[in-house]
Amino acid sequence: MLVQVAKDSDFTIHNLPWGIFSVPGESPRVGMAIGDQILDMVAVAELELFDFDVSVFYEDKLNPFIALGKSVTNKARTQVQGWLKSKDSPLAGKPELFVPQAEATMHLPISIGDYTDFYSSIEHATNVGRMFRDPENALLPNWRHLPVGYHGRSSSIIESGVPIRRPKGQTKPPTSDTPIYGPSKRLDFELEMGFVIGKDSELGQQVSTDEAEDYIFGLALFNDWSARDIQKWEYVPLGPFLGKSFASSLAPWIVTLEALEPFRTAGPAQDPAVLPYLASRGPANYNIQLEVGITPKNGTEQVVSRSNFGYMYWSMRQQLAHHTVNGCNVRVGDLMASGTISGKDESSYGSMLEISKGGKQPFPMNDGSTRSFLDDGDTVTMRGWGEAGDIRVGFGEVSAEILPASPE
Ligand code: CA
């Protein structure tokens, strides 16, 4: 190996995720994470080792690279993997190809066209349905028949590390007959996984569950911030709007779908059976462990949730097949998010709404304070990784601090 990689590193030789980085005085460009280093793909491009147009590595977003297609991008990743493993490789003896991650700034890795948010964890949908609607009929009649989703804003998807300003808006407290205006009092995170579309489909074309994985370039951690009080008042009848659109945070590293192959697993059994266009063969989920930590201002981090991407009721294949069943086309750089990923038990809930039971059971923090929802000054950090035998592939983290609402 040309780079020493710690055993517990997210960025092992099995991973090699893609991102956009910069160092002081240089423009953002494509890089690949290995251990605690970034392989500068512009520097690699200048070695003239690739047989495709390497100008894509000089871009400040991954879209042009992704648009080359999996036959090119997977081959490039596999080639680099081979070179990193070999002392006789063209990358050997060239420390200038590597940049320590600690010295680099990471940027939003893709230019996001459209953003779709699903609602595909049965545990999350059940928990929220109990609180927002009817405890006896928590899941609406459509939920087990189709992956429910809505079209979100891409303009407010920001890179990890950018602070989030507490949103303001209209809410109607239960004690009031009329709505009030002000900062959200129920600011929340949503633990999600996003997937990036790697291939255009045509208007009118359906992408089948068999074809879907060919359209998925890779995955990244995603925190879909939510203002529960704004959401609760506004969401009927057309669904989420301003309680969601103020910000979502995307992790800097896109882990390729191919790197996740060792973690492929079957999702939960679907009952009733799905319509034929949603049926899919073989395991379609991924066993990715997830965790969420909250760090109070000047405090230490406390993990508030441990969940798993493998819990999803609806797979990415099914989400994409459903998304395109009406002929809606998808484009390179579109982002699809899983929806909040909750598990069965209370330690695996993917939002404060569920962890605190809608605010009724505040979560005890190590410093003696409690959290029903997020406080100003809190930093929320999400991590994810798969482990199979000696193989570890991680997603790094997505993290952001909550700033107070802007003055009136
Ligand atoms: Ca969401």
Side-chain angles (χ1 to χ4, degrees), residues 241-311:
F241 188 31
L242 305 180
K244 299 284 189 177
S245 61
F246 58 94
S248 305
S249 299
L250 183 67
W253 294 110
I254 312 291
V255 175
T256 64
L257 194 62
E258 288 67 30
L260 299 176
E261 201 53 42
F263 316 108
R264 193 183 276 280
T265 186
Q270 293 183 311
D271 180 26
V274 297
L275 286 167
Y277 82 93
L278 289 170
S280 104
R281 282 179 292 197
N285 280 23
Y286 295 87
N287 178 9
I288 307 293
Q289 299 180 59
L290 301 166
E291 70 177 27
V292 185
I294 296 179
T295 311
K297 189 98 188 159
N298 304 319
T300 53
E301 183 182 287
Q302 182 166 357
V303 171
V304 298
S305 177
R306 289 192 170 86
S307 188
N308 195 301
F309 188 44
Y311 296 155

Side-chain angles (χ1 to χ4, degrees), residues 115 117-119 124 150 190 192 222 224-226 244 337-340:
Y115 160 49
D117 190 20
F118 287 96
Y119 189 54
H124 173 70
Y150 73 98
E190 288 191 332
E192 302 201 22
F222 191 66
D224 193 26
W225 303 95
S226 298
K244 299 284 189 177
S338 57
T340 308

Side-chain angles (χ1 to χ4, degrees), residues 212-234:
E213 288 175 4
D214 197 33
Y215 285 79
I216 300 172
F217 174 74
L219 281 68
L221 291 167
F222 191 66
N223 181 350
D224 193 26
W225 303 95
S226 298
R228 301 298 180 191
D229 42 1
I230 296 172
Q231 180 186 359
K232 185 166 186 176
W233 172 233
E234 74 176 359

Side-chain angles (χ1 to χ4, degrees), residues 71-215:
S71 62
V72 174
T73 59
N74 282 343
K75 185 177 165 196
R77 180 174 159 273
T78 310
Q79 279 181 302
V80 172
Q81 200 167 39
W83 295 331
L84 287 170
K85 281 180 182 169
S86 166
K87 290 218 167 359
D88 302 322
S89 90
L91 309 189
K94 297 190 176 70
E96 67 276 13
L97 302 178
F98 299 92
V99 174
Q101 285 173 26
E103 292 172 16
T105 301
M106 298 305 298
H107 302 271
L108 193 68
I110 43 173
S111 174
I112 301 162
D114 282 304
Y115 160 49
T116 301
D117 190 20
F118 287 96
Y119 189 54
S120 288
S121 154
I122 196 164
E123 290 83 7
H124 173 70
T126 303
N127 291 337
V128 172
R130 278 193 187 123
M131 279 183 273
F132 273 32
R133 286 182 299 271
D134 177 1
E136 300 303 312
N137 296 292
L139 289 181
L140 287 166
N142 60 4
W143 201 92
R144 286 174 181 269
H145 294 280
L146 55 85
V148 169
Y150 73 98
H151 189 252
R153 287 293 298 178
S154 56
S155 63
S156 53
I157 298 177
I158 48 183
E159 62 263 42
S160 178
V162 175
I164 306 298
R165 202 165 271 292
R166 181 177 296 272
K168 291 183 290 195
Q170 218 185 96
T171 62
K172 196 181 86 58
T175 50
S176 167
D177 290 334
T178 51
I180 60 170
Y181 164 81
S184 168
K185 294 186 173 68
R186 296 193 154 208
L187 182 55
D188 202 353
F189 59 80
E190 288 191 332
L191 170 62
E192 302 201 22
M193 189 67 85
F195 70 88
V196 177
I197 295 295
K199 182 175 170 179
D200 290 352
S201 70
E202 300 292 322
L203 187 67
Q205 175 197 347
Q206 286 180 240
V207 175
S208 70
T209 55
D210 275 353
E211 297 163 326
E213 288 175 4
D214 197 33
Y215 285 79

